[in-house]
Amino acid sequence: MNIHEYQAKGLLREFGVPVPDGYPVLKAEDAEAVARQLRGPVWVVKSQIHAGGRGKGKFKEKAAGDKGGVRLASSVEEASAFVREMLGQTLVTAQTGPAGKQVNRVYIEDGSAIASEFYLSMLVDRDTSRVAFVVSTEGGMNIEEVAHDNPEKIRTFSVDPATGIMPLHGRTVAETLGLTGDLARQAEDLAAKLYRAFVEEDMAMLEINPLVVTKDGKLRCLDAKVSFDDNALFRHPDLFKLRDETEEDAKEIEASKYDLAYIALDGTIGCMVNGAGLAMATLDIIKLYGEEPANFLDVGGGASEEKVTAAFKIITADPQVKGILVNIFGGIMKCDVIARGVIAAVKTVGLEVPLVVRLEGTNVEEGKQIIRSSGLNVIPADDLDDAAQKIVAAVRGA
Ligand code: ADP
Ligand code: MG
């Protein structure tokens, strides 16, 4: 689960991490009162979307100007004008894709006088099975570019969970950033607090870009991106209220209601499968024959007819889908149940794109018979290879 910058900063503040004061605005009419709670002389007005690159982003609508999703204001009036310009508009950044994301919340915070900008992130390093720090002096800009062009400027080290965070780790952060004296001590303190926040809140990723040194010699986190380990969320019921469903794919939310795993992708072929392994194999073979999957929906091991119907509706609701491949191996799942679900769904939602069905396993003959006798225009396939070729040919012909 991802959260907004202002929520991440609120959480980090509870752990004593230095972040600027700020308040979120959800309604334009509140902007002025919110801005007045801050001292100035600089107010930073920041679009809150679950994507980075906001500073360099562009709004689709001209009303919001072409100043990007992070703007500096020099008065309460200017700050509230920026809020009004941003709210409800669509911000396009390098991370949102061309469709952009609608800005429904804005954050106003104290402006910092920046002396230098650094990069610091933390993640679970799967190679070492430890929490790792990634630190670089090249903050504020595109860290992916730095990683590509100047990898030596990025330092990574991990923390042994048996010892936890130690002064040595903080000193490594300070040394990497070239900080000495009081700033080095601030870096040690920051590393310890961030580590505690990361571990106690079961974060999967924490990114501070930029981490700055202010002109008056303070280390401060000016941006914060946090995602949590979904498998540990049950331990943090209070984090659920930070969820913003408007930032998530509506189809993924709909699928989760039926306990279906739905993943949106960029291609044209919708895939209904059972089991993660079969899903991966299905995506691979579609790519092998030269097309791209639009999504995959895993109906799991013991899906009911109702669940299959819901799954089918979710796939057909995506306008990107130019063809559907149903690829089911009936183990616990029975092929006749799948077949009935597919037929029921097609009858309620209609079928405007080609549909290839490959069934194998328990009750396969019964399943195939149900599909054959349905009178619907379904293309049967004998095996995975045959199915992939048929759906690729069908979407190309369409
Ligand atoms: P994004 O990474 O989505 O572009 P940031 O929060 O990193 O958004 O903001 C972009 C840039 O705006 C930062 O690199 C920093 O230079 C500037 N900035 C952000 N917050 C502040 C602030 N409170 N005071 C001064 N400058 C800021
Ligand atoms: Mg940033």
Side-chain angles (χ1 to χ4, degrees):
M1 183 180 87
N2 297 319
I3 58 175
H4 289 292
E5 173 201 3
Y6 78 92
Q7 297 167 322
K9 284 178 167 168
L11 194 61
L12 293 176
R13 204 178 275 125
E14 290 173 27
F15 286 85
V17 173
V19 293
D21 284 339
Y23 304 95
V25 188
L26 279 77
K27 295 200 295 283
E29 59 264 36
D30 299 338
E32 196 164 323
V34 169
R36 278 196 202 290
Q37 291 178 262
L38 299 165
R39 287 177 307 276
V42 177
W43 288 256
V44 184
V45 182
K46 311 181 80 172
S47 302
Q48 300 295 294
I49 53 171
H50 285 188
R54 296 163 300 162
K56 286 187 185 161
K58 291 266 178 289
F59 283 97
K60 278 197 164 166
E61 301 84 354
K62 269 284 153 283
D66 53 2
K67 301 279 175 13
V70 175
R71 295 173 71 179
L72 305 186
S74 51
S75 67
V76 164
E77 291 69 30
E78 196 180 15
S80 44
F82 289 171
V83 172
R84 282 195 299 275
E85 286 173 17
M86 287 179 189
L87 271 178
Q89 314 288 347
T90 308
L91 183 59
V92 182
T93 81
Q95 293 183 12
T96 60
K101 284 201 156 199
Q102 193 178 43
V103 178
N104 300 317
R105 305 177 192 198
V106 174
Y107 188 47
I108 310 182
E109 72 176 5
D110 269 335
S112 296
I114 302 173
S116 34
E117 295 192 307
F118 303 132
Y119 177 92
L120 186 153
S121 67
M122 297 172 69
L123 47 93
V124 181
D125 178 2
R126 296 186 190 281
D127 286 341
T128 58
S129 310
R130 293 172 173 188
V131 174
F133 279 82
V134 181
V135 189
S136 174
T137 50
E138 307 304 296
M141 56 149 122
N142 207 339
I143 193 69
E144 289 83 3
E145 253 165 49
V146 180
H148 184 264
D149 300 337
N150 302 90
E152 74 287 352
K153 291 196 169 161
I154 297 176
R155 182 148 176 193
T156 305
F157 63 90
S158 59
V159 178
D160 187 334
T163 64
I165 189 97
M166 296 200 293
L168 157 79
H169 301 117
R171 284 200 294 278
T172 307
V173 171
E175 189 193 295
T176 309
L177 300 179
L179 303 175
T180 54
D182 183 53
L183 276 169
R185 273 188 294 279
Q186 289 184 48
E188 285 176 33
D189 184 57
L190 177 73
K193 285 170 173 167
L194 290 176
Y195 184 81
R196 233 193 91 211
F198 190 95
V199 173
E200 283 185 21
E201 299 294 337
D202 285 309
M203 293 178 188
M205 201 270 309
L206 163 64
E207 187 181 56
I208 311 291
N209 187 26
L211 167 68
V212 304
V213 174
T214 61
K215 289 193 173 141
D216 56 353
K218 299 268 189 305
L219 204 57
R220 210 176 276 161
C221 303
L222 289 202
D223 191 7
K225 201 170 181 198
V226 166
S227 63
F228 298 99
D229 179 351
D230 289 344
N231 295 316
L233 272 177
F234 73 95
R235 292 203 286 230
H236 308 279
D238 52 320
L239 291 179
F240 278 114
K241 64 177 186 292
L242 302 182
R243 185 168 177 194
D244 181 357
E245 289 197 349
T246 65
E247 291 284 335
E248 297 172 23
D249 189 310
K251 290 188 283 298
E252 285 182 25
I253 295 171
E254 181 66 14
S256 69
K257 284 185 200 155
Y258 291 92
D259 210 15
L260 298 161
Y262 173 89
I263 304 292
L265 301 162
D266 299 326
T268 55
I269 298 176
C271 304
M272 189 164 102
V273 296
N274 65 333
L278 191 59
M280 295 304 122
T282 306
L283 304 188
D284 279 350
I285 201 159
I286 287 173
K287 283 169 176 275
L288 181 71
Y289 285 108
E291 282 298 326
E292 294 288 328
N295 54 47
F296 75 84
L297 205 152
D298 181 356
V299 297
S304 61
E305 192 178 316
E306 184 206 4
K307 228 166 136 172
V308 173
T309 311
F312 206 82
K313 281 184 185 164
I314 291 165
I315 291 180
T316 50
D318 183 350
Q320 270 195 153
V321 170
K322 302 285 178 263
I324 300 172
L325 173 56
V326 174
N327 184 23
I328 299 286
F329 184 83
I332 303 167
M333 189 83 205
K334 294 185 181 64
C335 294
D336 56 314
V337 172
I338 291 284
R340 267 189 222 103
V342 169
I343 302 302
V346 170
K347 283 187 175 147
T348 44
V349 298
L351 186 64
E352 277 157 23
V353 296
L355 167 66
V356 173
V357 178
R358 178 254 175 167
L359 297 173
E360 193 51 83
T362 311
N363 295 355
V364 61
E365 279 318 318
E366 206 181 330
K368 285 184 174 168
Q369 182 53 38
I370 289 167
I371 288 181
R372 269 196 301 271
S373 60
S374 69
L376 295 169
N377 186 19
V378 177
I379 308 164
D382 293 326
D383 56 38
L384 185 44
D385 204 55
D386 182 42
Q389 291 184 55
K390 280 179 172 157
I391 191 63
V392 167
V395 299
R396 289 189 172 165

